[in-house]
Amino acid sequence: EALAPARGWLETAYTSETIRALWAPWVLHAGLGPEDAFSGQIAKVIAFALEAAGAPIVKGGAKNLLAAFEALIKERGGVISTDADVASIILEGGRAAGVRLASGETVHAKKSVICSVTPTQLYGRLLGDAAPKRDVDATREYRYGKGNFQIHYALSKPPAWRGEGLDKVALLHLTPGLDGVSKACNEALRGLLPEVPTICVGQPHALDPSRCPQGKAILWLQLPEAPRHIKGDAAGKFAAPADGQWTAKLREAYADRVEAILASHIDGFSGSVIARRAYSPADLEAMNINLVGGDPYGGSSTIDQAFLWRPFKASRNHETGIKNLYHIGASTHPGAGLGGGSGFLLAGRL
Ligand SMILES: Cc1cc2nc3c(=O)[nH]c(=O)nc-3n(C[C@H](O)[C@H](O)[C@H](O)COP(=O)(O)OP(=O)(O)OC[C@H]3O[C@@H](n4cnc5c(N)ncnc54)[C@H](O)[C@@H]3O)c2cc1C
């Protein structure tokens, strides 16, 4: 039963296209599409969680969550270094003994080295020639998921949604429905810019007025169906760059397409825009090496690469083939998300 796709669940449990449209986009937040195995189960889990706990956001912005963790770590004597690119893992006697930064500085480990990176980086960069062949081979088969595209807006006034009550919702989806999610997902997977992407609209100010000056508003748009490598445009309007890479021009043109859909739901939207900032999948990857091709989830989350099979079928308890070296993060069991599950599980074992 857990393996059923969301389409199966929605088409057998609900006759209303509106209810199907309500739940279908949520599978995108788990890196899945509505026809993927297990997406029915994940949609039910999300539906239950939303009913039980809502969708809480951090007062004052997500940076406050980081600040809270930072304080906790420092309180316990931990040291945090930022802008410190780890270039390699130091091995001594076949065991992980520390890391070497790109600057040449070394940091020695008292007990173990724990990496929250993709397998591509761990076995293709950080371990260099010492990477176990079995893991190098498995990394070659590791797949990344759809890219993610972000648009952030500063608005001079709260959006005047045409749909009643939407001004009170912190996160909503604009979608033609279950088939629309399916179509856009499939287009992105085939390297096409979706004709009508699913637009996840976050309006944090609806729950937390401290996010912007009084009387103003902000919108946080997530487009989870973006191609990592562009082969074409499902709408037939934009030419794909010869090298398939995102360009600033294409990013803004695609953001215009998204904005036109958004504006069709909000009275006077264009006139209320103070500023817009779009991030293509390539921009996201440039900001965080873990977002390969702009995949926000550190690797495709289809069931063959999820849970106990993440990152590899032979992976066990976040161990690697090297003593004292552990692999955690979105690319490992139990998968992507802000829950910190892999680190929690490993901390319990260590
Ligand atoms: C736009 C967006 C929206 C999202 N929304 C949600 C959401 O609403 N809910 C949710 O649960 N999840 C969400 N996710 C997914 C979630 O953010 C990730 O799954 C999660 O952050 C993964 O945590 P992590 O520790 O594995 O990796 P990261 O958060 O990527 O942290 C790892 C850090 O290590 C750094 N690093 C990597 N390699 C090196 C190196 N060699 N040297 C030094 N530093 C290095 C990286 O730059 C990064 O800062 C979203 C992701 C994105 C991109």
Side-chain angles (χ1 to χ4, degrees):
E1 189 186 341
L3 290 178
R7 178 179 287 281
W9 170 52
L10 293 171
E11 288 186 342
T12 53
Y14 300 103
T15 51
S16 158
E17 285 295 343
T18 309
I19 297 295
R20 292 172 183 169
L22 176 71
W23 295 123
W26 285 100
V27 304
L28 301 172
H29 294 276
L32 297 175
E35 280 86 19
D36 281 324
F38 195 70
S39 60
Q41 184 72 3
I42 209 78
K44 288 179 197 172
V45 169
I46 292 175
F48 165 77
L50 289 168
E51 279 294 318
I57 58 169
V58 185
K59 199 169 178 185
K63 67 178 185 337
N64 286 344
L65 188 67
L66 296 184
F69 274 116
E70 185 182 357
L72 215 61
I73 290 167
K74 287 184 174 163
E75 203 179 283
R76 283 160 175 73
V79 176
I80 300 174
S81 302
T82 55
D83 289 324
D85 181 29
V86 173
S88 62
I89 292 164
I90 300 169
L91 300 178
E92 283 170 8
R95 292 165 178 262
V99 295
R100 180 169 290 106
L101 306 188
S103 64
E105 189 189 333
T106 57
V107 181
H108 283 273
K110 278 194 190 144
K111 199 167 167 187
S112 35
V113 175
I114 302 171
C115 300
S116 180
V117 298
T118 60
T120 309
Q121 194 187 176
L122 182 56
Y123 300 109
R125 179 191 184 209
L126 300 181
L127 281 170
D129 293 341
K133 182 176 178 315
R134 185 193 73 172
D135 297 318
V136 173
D137 290 345
T139 299
R140 227 171 271 132
E141 289 172 15
Y142 190 77
R143 292 169 292 110
Y144 290 90
K146 299 180 290 292
N148 189 74
F149 192 104
Q150 289 289 128
I151 311 179
H152 298 258
Y153 283 102
L155 305 178
S156 60
K157 57 178 185 184
W161 290 99
R162 296 201 177 132
E164 201 186 328
L166 292 184
D167 53 325
K168 307 270 187 310
V169 184
L171 178 60
L172 57 102
H173 297 105
L174 301 178
T175 170
L178 170 60
D179 287 347
V181 176
S182 172
K183 178 174 177 287
C185 248
N186 181 268
E187 287 165 351
L189 284 170
R190 286 187 292 127
L192 303 178
L193 295 161
E195 184 178 12
V196 183
T198 310
I199 309 176
C200 316
V201 186
Q203 37 183 10
H205 63 272
L207 292 188
D208 177 10
S210 76
R211 296 291 186 101
C212 56
Q214 212 182 0
K216 309 273 192 280
I218 49 169
L219 290 184
W220 177 99
L221 268 55
Q222 183 178 17
L223 297 123
E225 303 139 334
R228 289 198 315 275
H229 186 88
I230 306 159
K231 290 189 200 157
D233 176 18
K237 301 243 165 77
F238 309 136
D243 60 1
Q245 300 301 307
W246 282 90
T247 61
K249 191 171 161 218
L250 190 57
R251 177 190 66 208
E252 295 308 316
Y254 189 62
D256 288 345
R257 172 176 298 171
V258 175
E259 185 168 317
I261 299 172
L262 182 67
S264 72
H265 292 272
I266 298 172
D267 284 329
F269 179 76
S270 301
S272 71
V273 175
I274 299 172
R276 173 179 98 181
R277 180 86 189 260
Y279 296 87
S280 73
D283 295 328
L284 294 178
E285 183 174 16
M287 289 191 286
N288 183 350
I289 189 174
N290 280 4
L291 308 181
V292 176
D295 171 3
Y297 303 125
S300 170
S301 303
T302 51
I303 192 72
D304 58 305
Q305 257 193 193
F307 302 117
L308 69 160
W309 300 298
R310 195 167 181 89
F312 310 138
K313 291 177 184 60
S315 302
R316 266 187 71 226
N317 296 330
H318 304 100
E319 290 167 3
T320 65
I322 310 247
K323 284 209 170 64
N324 296 352
L325 177 66
Y326 298 94
H327 188 195
I328 61 164
S331 302
T332 70
H333 171 73
L338 298 168
S342 56
F344 178 79
L345 291 171
L346 181 61
R349 289 190 63 235
L350 293 180

